[in-house]
């Protein structure tokens, strides 16, 4: 996400160091003749920026309400036993829906869409630039090359994704946070976070974000490339297609097939990384309350803020351990269905549209 500029305005050292290391490594690879040849196969940067900006925006617009419901379910700590003891039989989804409105499910929508434009552009531009270089360095291992490029792209772009997620998720879940904070909108949220926590407040759980989305993005992109290649072989092996699209490039696969490939890769990556996403989200919306417990926020004494704190995780491993211990192993997949309902169409729209636009520019 703004990888160079962020290092001068207070982004976490881990982010700037990681981005610097990746840039240096990429530069050293580019100096070799193999990498120079591979770099020529990468699409033009402006094409990647245009295609990724349009596709990521469309994906976010279509899925934000479901994402809000998913976030609210994931911060709900009530177990089935606890609900039964209170005489409540509604499922977490039904409970969330019962107090939701059209306005509430679009909380954080504007920051999600606007923030996704530069973040998505940097994400896919980095991926497309690094992928041919990894392919040159890892001959014969296409999956590993795609996986590495996807993880590196996530590491760099998380410098923007993380602040966007912090603001978006706090707006989405604040009705469930026992009055821990109250934001009037994205601008008010950013102002309060900056005032009470400083610039570092926008990078809460950056490491957890990378651990959650790094593997998901890497698995998603690597699987997509594999699935798309096999789908292309099958499709063009059974469909007569004698023409190619300019300069010897293979013709693009149909939009419906691109969406199907992206859906398959997105579903797999999404489901298996749900526990990491659950822990990451709870850390991002709660770690501010740990700051509040020490200093207080908006006139609320620190002790009172601590009482309202719903979670207290030291790191992502501790989060996974505590969730399993207090809520049971099944709780690790809380919101998994809704997460798939968000990520599968979002990934399908994003990757499908991205590939189709890129092939036609």
């Amino acid at each position: 996400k703004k990888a160079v500029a962020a290092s001068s305005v207070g982004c976490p050292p881990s982010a700037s160091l990681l981005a610097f290391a990746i840039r240096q490594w990429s530069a050293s690879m580019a100096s070799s003749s193999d990498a120079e040849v591979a770099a020529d196969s990468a699409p033009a940067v402006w094409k990647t920026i245009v295609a990724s900006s349009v596709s990521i925006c469309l994906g976010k617009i279509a899925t934000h309400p479901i994402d809000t419901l998913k976030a609210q379910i994931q911060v709900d700590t009530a177990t089935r036993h606890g609900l039964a003891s209170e005489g409540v039989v509604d499922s977490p989804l039904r409970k969330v829906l019962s107090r939701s409105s059209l306005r509430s499910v679009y909380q954080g929508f504007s920051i999600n869409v606007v923030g996704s434009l530069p973040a998505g552009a940097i994400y896919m531009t980095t991926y497309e630039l690094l992928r041919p270089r990894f392919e040159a360095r890892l001959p014969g291992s296409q999956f590993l090359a795609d996986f590495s490029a996807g993880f590196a792209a996530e590491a760099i772009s998380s410098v923007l994704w993380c602040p966007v997620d912090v603001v978006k998720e706090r707006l989405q879940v604040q009705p469930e946070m026992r009055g821990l904070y109250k934001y009037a909108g994205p601008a008010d949220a950013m102002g309060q976070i900056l005032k009470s926590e400083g610039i570092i407040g926008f990078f809460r759980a950056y490491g957890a974000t990378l651990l959650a989305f790094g593997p998901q993005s890497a698995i998603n992109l690597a699987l997509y490339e594999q699935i798309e290649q096999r789908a292309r072989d099958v499709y063009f092996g059974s469909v007569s297609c004698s023409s190619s699209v300019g300069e010897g490039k293979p013709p693009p696969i149909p939009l419906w097939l691109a969406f199907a490939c992206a859906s398959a890769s997105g579903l797999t990556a999404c489901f298996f990384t749900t526990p990491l996403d659950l822990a990451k989200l709870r850390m991002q919306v709660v770690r501010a309350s740990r700051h509040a417990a020490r200093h207080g926020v908006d006139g609320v004494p620190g002790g009172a803020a601590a009482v309202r704190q719903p979670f207290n995780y030291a790191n992502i491993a501790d989060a996974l351990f505590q969730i399993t211990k207090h809520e049971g192993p099944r709780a690790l997949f809380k919101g998994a269905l809704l997460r798939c309902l968000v990520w599968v169409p979002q990934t399908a729209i994003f990757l499908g549209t991205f590939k189709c636009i890129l092939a036609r520019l």
Side-chain angles (χ1 to χ4, degrees):
K1 304 158 180 206
K2 223 186 257 184
V4 177
S7 63
S8 63
V9 295
C11 76
S14 59
S16 58
L17 288 175
L18 184 56
F20 175 80
I22 291 173
R23 288 198 303 272
Q24 294 300 310
W25 188 34
S26 298
S28 66
M29 288 194 295
S31 64
S32 67
S33 57
D34 288 344
E36 288 175 356
V37 173
D40 292 338
S41 65
V45 172
W46 73 267
K47 293 181 179 181
T48 304
I49 292 175
V50 171
S52 60
S53 296
V54 173
S55 57
I56 193 69
C57 187
L58 292 175
K60 295 292 186 180
I61 290 173
T63 59
H64 186 82
I66 304 175
D67 182 58
T68 300
L69 296 176
K70 185 270 299 183
Q72 292 178 355
I73 286 176
Q74 286 186 324
V75 298
D76 179 13
T77 59
T79 62
R80 180 172 299 184
H81 178 270
L83 288 173
S85 66
E86 297 173 11
V88 180
V89 295
D90 285 347
S91 67
L93 175 58
R94 187 174 300 176
K95 186 170 67 172
V96 168
L97 285 173
S98 68
R99 53 178 181 262
S100 296
S101 63
L102 183 62
R103 180 179 179 180
S104 68
V105 297
Y106 274 96
Q107 289 294 319
F109 174 74
S110 59
I111 187 67
N112 192 20
V113 173
V114 174
S116 296
L117 294 176
I122 290 174
Y123 174 66
M124 288 308 298
T125 300
T126 303
Y127 174 72
E128 291 293 343
L129 288 175
L130 291 181
R131 187 162 69 97
R133 291 172 168 81
F134 277 108
E135 290 173 347
R137 289 285 175 169
L138 299 168
S141 183
Q142 184 67 45
F143 183 88
L144 182 58
D146 292 335
F147 185 96
S148 301
F151 193 92
E154 184 64 36
I156 294 174
S157 59
S158 284
V159 180
L160 267 187
W161 283 126
C162 190
V164 170
D165 276 350
V166 168
V167 176
K168 172 185 75 76
E169 289 169 355
R170 292 186 187 183
L171 287 167
Q172 288 175 319
V173 306
Q174 65 176 343
E176 314 295 323
M177 298 303 288
R178 309 173 190 173
L180 185 63
Y181 39 69
K182 186 174 183 180
Y183 304 135
D188 181 49
M190 288 187 287
Q192 289 193 39
I193 292 171
L194 184 63
K195 178 181 178 181
S196 63
E197 304 168 53
I199 193 70
I200 200 68
F202 293 105
F203 294 93
R204 294 291 183 184
Y206 173 83
T209 299
L210 188 56
L211 287 174
F213 288 120
Q216 177 174 324
S217 297
I219 293 170
N220 186 19
L221 289 172
L223 276 179
Y224 178 82
E225 299 292 348
Q226 297 293 311
I227 295 172
E228 184 199 40
Q229 184 58 52
R230 284 161 175 72
R232 182 186 296 277
D233 293 342
V234 172
Y235 181 79
F236 289 113
S238 59
V239 175
S240 176
C241 183
S242 59
S243 62
S244 62
V245 181
E247 301 181 1
K249 292 193 300 182
I253 61 176
L255 186 62
W256 66 267
L257 186 55
F259 281 173
C261 294
S263 296
S265 64
L267 178 62
T268 304
C270 178
F271 180 79
F272 286 105
T273 57
T274 292
L276 297 174
D277 175 69
L278 171 67
K280 184 272 303 182
L281 183 144
R282 289 189 177 185
M283 291 175 68
Q284 285 186 322
V285 300
V286 167
R287 292 183 75 179
S289 69
R290 296 173 69 185
H291 178 280
R294 294 192 299 268
H295 305 289
V297 175
D298 296 333
V300 179
V307 171
R308 291 204 305 260
Q309 177 179 305
F311 317 115
N312 185 14
Y313 305 140
N315 50 55
I316 194 167
D318 180 54
L320 295 173
F321 174 77
Q322 288 199 39
I323 292 169
T324 303
K325 178 180 179 181
H326 298 294
E327 302 173 52
R330 293 182 61 181
L332 293 172
F333 289 89
K334 183 174 290 186
L337 175 59
L338 285 181
R339 187 165 187 257
C340 290
L341 289 177
V342 170
W343 280 98
V344 171
Q346 183 171 289
T347 299
I349 293 170
F350 175 48
L351 283 178
T353 306
F354 174 78
K355 291 290 184 177
C356 289
I357 293 176
L358 195 63
R360 289 165 173 78
L361 286 178

